[in-house]
Amino acid sequence: MADVPDPWIQSSRSSKCTPQLAIQLLEGSNPNQVGATNYLNYAAGVGIHIYPAGAVTTLAATKTAITDYVTPIQNATNTTLPFWITECGYPRARFATEADRYTQHANFINALNQLGFPLAYTLLYTFDNSGGFEVYANGAYLPTSDIFDNYY
């Protein structure tokens, strides 16, 4: 998984932990939790953000990148709960052209459809508060915005 820069963690007063620890805490199975409730019994889905590192360029590589995120969570939860991908996307700076970025977004959606794990929602992150994820700039839609017409 991509590392969140420490300044962001500090400025947002956040923390991060491994997926395994997060699952333990939700299950109440961490050794520091005595008699804790297994909150996964009450869950309707598993929320996840997927931002594959680098400019993954093939459908096969995209499937691998997604599987690297999803499989550990499926294994840890031992559940068939659907995934809610509440953020995903690729920043502009990773690609030579917007056409390449569009292709990668299309690969991402096609990979999700082909992998077949339970999926409830997929939301493409396009808000540009951190630089480069926008699909609209300088008063015009960028080619990547066509992903909404073609896939959503």
Side-chain angles (χ1 to χ4, degrees), residues 14-146:
S14 301
S15 62
K16 69 177 185 176
C17 64
T18 65
Q20 294 78 8
L21 176 59
I23 297 302
Q24 281 184 350
L25 294 172
L26 288 171
E27 287 178 330
S29 63
N30 186 278
N32 294 321
Q33 296 172 291
V34 178
T37 300
N38 181 349
Y39 290 102
L40 289 178
N41 290 334
Y42 304 98
V46 176
I48 185 173
H49 295 181
I50 301 179
Y51 291 100
V56 183
T57 56
T58 67
L59 182 60
T62 304
K63 286 181 180 181
T64 298
I66 293 169
T67 301
D68 287 348
Y69 276 83
V70 172
T71 301
I73 296 168
Q74 285 181 313
N75 291 343
T77 60
N78 195 25
T79 183
T80 58
L81 289 171
F83 281 86
W84 297 36
I85 302 173
T86 57
E87 287 184 20
C88 63
Y90 297 90
R92 296 174 72 187
R94 291 190 189 162
F95 301 92
T97 68
E98 275 293 309
D100 291 342
R101 184 171 168 232
Y102 171 88
T103 298
Q104 186 52 48
H105 280 94
N107 282 343
F108 188 90
I109 294 167
N110 289 327
L112 287 175
N113 290 333
Q114 292 177 21
L115 286 169
F117 60 83
L119 187 62
Y121 295 97
T122 304
L123 304 172
L124 179 64
Y125 182 79
T126 62
F127 183 71
D128 188 29
N129 66 341
S130 58
F133 285 91
E134 71 271 19
V135 295
Y136 185 86
N138 301 319
Y141 286 103
L142 300 171
T144 299
S145 69
D146 289 342

